[in-house]
Amino acid sequence: MTTAEPLRIGILGAARISALSLVGPARAGGHRLVAVATRTRSRADAFAAEHGVERVLDSYAEVIDDPEVEVVYNPLANSLHGPWNLAALAAGKHVLSEKPSASNTEEATEVRDAAAKAGTVFMEGFHYLFHPVTRRLHELLGSGELGELRHVETMVAMPAPPGSDPRWSLPLAGGALMDLGCYSLHAQRTLAPWAGGPPHLVTARGGARQGAPDVDEWLDAELAFPNGATGSARCHMAYGDVRMSLRIVGSRGEATAVNFVQPHLDDRVLVRTPAAERTEELGKRSSYTYQLEAYAAHLRNGAPLPLDAEDALTTMSLIDECYRTAGFPPRPRTTAPASG
């Protein structure tokens, strides 16, 4: 879907995920990649040349201040989400931020308040929510085919990144729950309409990365919903293989998304009821493309958008509660933005 007027997007950094999460979707939607800045000019030059960014600037602040940039995309290390989200909002820009929106609840509260003050659109990039795979799971609950919600299982796991990866750094707000478990928790939170309300944490436990006692290598959270349904949200950042499944069990059947986080790799939803079993294939078009379409439709046409800064704060609060319950400290915040 192409909007009447393309979005004018500025990119902070040259994160590997950007090609999938933003560049491809922007091309598909006819949007402009106006500017990029990275910590080193040569990397920014290479990124711009490869991805068709119109110009290279010398700092993140220059991208935010560029009068032609209306949307700031923030895929930086977790610890830099909050500071640069706040800076972009203070400059009156719309913000599309990779998750999580901040390092901890205090900072996420500031982001929420800054978005309200700016009157611009802040969205945390839970792209999975826009894909037909997740929408279909919600439809199956809404239609009554699965009966009343009884139990939810989310598992998001991957093999370990290198030891030098920022995801293992406490000062950079790393950890399995921040990088992966936020999907597990958020997917359970979205089931509130069919569970009498949002879930609350019952208990959580986790294991620390060797050599990094405050950084979680894995964390499991048990949740409970107002209607009596239970939830199990698991994440593991040093697992044997990739697992990104979402299983919904109802009183009359169950449905499983094999890979709800990366449906472009596996778009299957397995449905099982007493009557029959079937596999539905919902399409491998990128969830990031659906996400940018929805974001653009909201900015240009006022179409509904299911994610905002308040939702991001609620997720961050649950993350911090999980950390404390499992014996980990919430992630520390970065006191000042790196210049970029």
Side-chain angles (χ1 to χ4, degrees):
M1 179 182 70
T2 303
T3 55
E5 180 188 351
L7 299 181
R8 305 183 305 279
I9 304 169
I11 305 170
L12 306 184
R16 290 187 300 272
I17 190 63
S18 295
L20 176 67
S21 60
L22 183 77
V23 174
R27 285 176 178 165
H31 303 296
R32 292 174 56 195
L33 303 179
V34 172
V36 65
T38 69
R39 287 173 296 176
T40 60
R41 178 75 185 217
S42 60
R43 191 174 181 203
D45 287 337
F47 184 92
E50 181 179 0
H51 298 302
V53 183
E54 295 173 20
R55 58 181 173 270
V56 174
L57 300 177
D58 290 327
S59 69
Y60 302 154
E62 287 187 31
V63 172
I64 289 171
D65 291 337
D66 190 307
E68 235 186 327
V69 169
E70 62 170 329
V71 175
V72 172
Y73 174 62
N74 183 355
L76 299 170
N78 288 345
S79 62
L80 298 179
H81 288 174
W84 287 107
N85 288 341
L86 289 168
L89 291 167
K93 307 294 183 171
H94 304 297
V95 178
L96 175 58
S97 174
E98 284 303 321
K99 45 75 195 163
S101 65
S103 294
N104 55 44
T105 302
E106 178 188 27
E107 193 172 50
T109 300
E110 293 179 20
V111 171
R112 187 272 313 273
D113 294 346
K117 181 179 179 180
T120 55
V121 178
F122 177 89
M123 191 174 86
E124 190 177 30
F126 279 115
H127 53 96
Y128 81 94
L129 188 59
F130 299 91
H131 197 275
V133 163
T134 298
R135 290 168 50 200
R136 180 59 176 150
L137 291 177
H138 293 176
E139 288 171 0
L140 288 167
L141 275 174
S143 71
E145 182 177 0
L146 303 181
E148 294 185 4
L149 182 66
R150 291 288 181 256
H151 182 64
V152 190
E153 295 175 2
T154 44
M155 172 61 162
V156 185
M158 59 178 277
S164 60
D165 193 284
R167 286 171 284 184
W168 293 126
S169 167
L170 182 67
L172 295 180
L177 187 60
M178 294 287 279
D179 192 64
L180 300 174
C182 57
Y183 285 108
S184 286
L185 294 176
H186 193 269
Q188 302 227 6
R189 286 191 50 242
T190 65
L191 302 181
W194 303 282
H200 69 268
L201 181 67
V202 175
T203 188
R205 63 189 187 95
R209 179 70 170 173
Q210 185 175 2
D214 290 330
V215 178
D216 49 311
E217 184 174 277
W218 63 272
L219 193 143
D220 296 346
E222 302 300 323
L223 307 171
F225 292 85
N227 74 339
T230 57
S232 172
R234 303 177 60 199
C235 62
H236 203 308
M237 206 157 66
Y239 203 66
D241 57 6
V242 174
R243 300 278 182 90
M244 298 190 176
S245 60
L246 169 54
R247 178 175 176 245
I248 295 173
V249 180
S251 57
R252 292 200 292 269
E254 65 177 69
T256 300
V258 178
N259 191 338
F260 78 102
V261 178
Q262 300 172 313
H264 63 283
L265 299 179
D266 193 332
D267 63 339
R268 290 176 297 158
V269 172
L270 314 178
V271 183
R272 179 184 299 172
T273 67
E277 297 181 15
R278 68 180 186 273
T279 298
E280 299 184 6
E281 297 177 357
L282 280 301
K284 293 184 177 180
R285 186 172 185 259
S286 172
S287 51
Y288 291 103
T289 300
Y290 284 106
Q291 173 180 260
L292 192 59
E293 284 181 350
Y295 193 71
H298 178 73
L299 290 182
R300 293 293 181 253
N301 307 315
L305 198 62
L307 300 172
D308 58 16
E310 186 69 43
D311 182 81
L313 171 57
T314 303
T315 298
M316 194 73 245
S317 299
L318 185 55
I319 288 172
D320 280 1
E321 188 181 3
C322 288
Y323 271 139
R324 291 191 179 97
T325 302
F328 293 94
R331 311 296 86 171
R333 65 185 298 168
T334 298
T335 54
S339 61

